[in-house]
């Protein structure tokens, strides 16, 4: 069997027989490790956010996914102002989720490099920018990084805004403000993508939250819109054409927009019905 992140051990038993004297028979055994590599059917890559914001002294906990059909390893480096250095290490096998965790971060900017390499030297990397806000700044919780969206499927993005002294927020797509309003602490806001994105392409979404203390927090999302919204109409071609008469036109236009004509018609029907009843009684 091919090596796919584990090894396979095969036991081999060897027996020697002496047909003249069974006491001379002997048995011994050995084992064989099978560790053959196979070329992956599809390339490996890592996916996850590339920018997030947290508050001072808040623990950093970010989730990433390694997509692979073979074994791989992940190295994480952290920038402390003197270049990247090895921060932690994780070994994995096939598709798996991993967590980047850090703590004790003060106000400022931090950079983490995640470098994934699989057994056939396919590499993928993400550089995560972490911005640490003062403890009193707003907190935005919701999706960041790359997001794939099928146009016209009614998808919405949900974010929760938290702050002790909140004021308002803004949502941008590229250079346009698409949504703004006041918010309260812990409020969930929804961004209806179908209202703003009508065709395929790549868009940049940014959400800003402000408070009355002068603090501001922002997060970013890279939107990959797939497909187009296509509106189709069905046209039926009649086999015969009939020219409308005046009577047909009158019936077509008679309705709530012509109340006098409607009352007159109902009156005529009522009188006709009365005449029929009187004739039957005679």
């Amino acid at each position: 069997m091919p090596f796919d992140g584990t090894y396979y051990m095969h036991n081999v038993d060897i027996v020697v027989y002496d047909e003249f004297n069974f006491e001379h028979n002997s048995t011994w055994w050995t084992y064989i490790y099978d560790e053959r590599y196979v070329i992956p059917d599809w390339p490996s890559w890592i996916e996850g956010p590339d920018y997030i914001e947290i508050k001072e002294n808040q623990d950093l906990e970010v989730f990433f996914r390694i997509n692979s059909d073979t074994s791989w390893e992940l190295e994480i480096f952290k920038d402390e102002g003197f270049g990247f250095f090895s921060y932690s290490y994780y070994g994995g096998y096939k598709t798996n989720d991993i967590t980047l965790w850090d703590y004790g971060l003060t106000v400022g900017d931090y950079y983490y490099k995640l470098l994934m390499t699989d057994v056939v030297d396919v590499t993928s990397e993400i550089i995560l920018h972490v911005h640490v806000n003062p403890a009193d700044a707003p907190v935005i919780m919701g999706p960041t990084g790359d997001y794939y969206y099928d146009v016209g499927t009614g998808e919405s993005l949900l974010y929760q805004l938290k702050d002790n002294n909140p004021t308002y927020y803004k949502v941008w797509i590229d250079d346009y403000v698409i949504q703004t309003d006041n918010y309260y602490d812990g409020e969930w806001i929804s961004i209806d993508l179908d209202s703003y994105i009508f065709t395929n392409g790549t868009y940049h979404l940014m959400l800003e939250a402000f408070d009355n203390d002068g603090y501001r927090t922002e997060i970013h999302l890279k939107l990959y819109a797939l497909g187009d919204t296509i509106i189709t109409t069905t046209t039926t071609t009649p086999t015969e054409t009939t020219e409308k008469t005046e009577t047909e036109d009158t019936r077509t236009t008679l309705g709530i927009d012509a109340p006098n004509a409607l009352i007159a018609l109902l009156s005529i029907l009522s009188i006709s019905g009365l005449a029929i009843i009187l004739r039957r009684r005679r």
Side-chain angles (χ1 to χ4, degrees):
M1 295 182 180
F3 177 67
D4 59 359
T6 60
Y7 63 83
Y8 296 90
M9 184 177 70
H10 305 278
N11 292 319
V12 180
D13 294 328
I14 300 175
V15 181
V16 179
Y17 295 96
D18 186 337
E19 62 180 3
F20 299 104
N21 188 347
F22 70 91
E23 294 181 353
H24 293 165
N25 293 351
S26 64
T27 302
W28 62 280
W29 67 275
T30 186
Y31 56 87
I32 299 174
Y33 282 110
D34 186 350
E35 297 182 352
R36 289 172 294 175
Y37 289 97
V38 294
I39 302 298
D41 294 328
W42 42 277
S44 307
W45 75 94
I46 180 173
E47 61 184 28
D50 57 8
Y51 178 88
I52 64 170
E53 295 195 13
I54 62 174
K55 285 189 175 185
E56 184 178 12
N57 294 321
Q58 176 186 346
D59 288 348
L60 175 66
E61 188 177 25
V62 191
F63 299 96
F64 294 88
R65 166 157 288 196
I66 306 293
N67 297 277
S68 179
D69 69 347
T70 187
S71 58
W72 47 266
E73 65 180 31
L74 177 69
E75 295 178 281
I76 303 176
F77 305 87
K78 181 179 178 182
D79 185 0
E80 296 280 34
F82 301 101
F84 287 109
F85 70 94
S86 182
Y87 181 60
S88 66
Y89 171 86
Y90 181 90
Y93 168 59
K94 295 195 173 182
T95 297
N96 208 339
D97 295 324
I98 61 100
T99 303
L100 169 63
W101 185 78
D102 202 357
Y103 66 98
L105 300 178
T106 58
V107 175
D109 294 277
Y110 300 84
Y111 296 87
Y112 299 82
K113 179 179 179 180
L114 292 88
L115 177 63
M116 183 279 304
T117 306
D118 67 13
V119 295
V120 290
D121 293 329
V122 172
T123 62
S124 177
E125 70 176 39
I126 287 181
I127 296 180
L128 172 66
H129 176 192
V130 178
H131 179 73
V132 181
N133 291 304
D136 294 330
V139 171
I140 303 175
M141 302 177 64
T144 60
D146 294 343
Y147 187 86
Y148 294 88
Y149 154 65
D150 292 325
V151 176
T153 54
E155 294 184 48
S156 297
L157 297 173
L158 289 176
Y159 292 92
Q160 188 178 32
L161 309 180
K162 294 183 177 181
D163 192 84
N164 294 328
N165 194 12
T167 174
Y168 69 97
Y169 70 90
K170 286 184 179 181
V171 180
W172 300 72
I173 289 185
D174 293 337
D175 297 325
Y176 301 95
V177 177
I178 63 167
Q179 193 170 317
T180 183
D181 201 352
N182 294 330
Y183 72 96
Y184 58 83
D185 181 30
E187 181 176 1
W188 288 89
I189 66 169
S190 175
I191 304 170
D192 179 17
L193 296 179
D194 279 357
S195 298
Y196 308 106
I197 298 177
F198 308 103
T199 185
N200 61 326
T202 302
Y203 303 86
H204 174 228
L205 183 143
M206 179 176 71
L207 172 58
E208 297 177 290
F210 303 84
D211 66 13
N212 287 309
D213 298 320
Y215 294 116
R216 168 186 167 276
T217 300
E218 69 179 45
I219 62 172
H220 300 263
L221 190 74
K222 194 171 185 179
L223 277 167
Y224 296 94
L226 310 174
D228 295 317
T229 301
I230 301 174
I231 301 175
T232 59
T233 57
T234 303
T235 303
T236 303
T237 304
T239 56
E240 297 181 5
T241 56
T242 305
E243 195 174 315
K244 290 185 178 181
T245 63
E246 282 189 25
T247 305
E248 290 172 337
D249 290 339
T250 303
R251 290 173 183 172
T252 302
T253 57
L254 185 62
I256 60 173
D257 293 333
N260 294 331
L262 179 60
I263 294 171
L265 178 61
L266 294 176
S267 300
I268 293 171
L269 293 175
S270 300
I271 294 172
S272 301
L274 179 62
I276 292 171
I277 293 171
L278 292 176
R279 286 195 190 100
R280 288 179 178 176
R281 288 181 177 178
R282 288 179 181 176

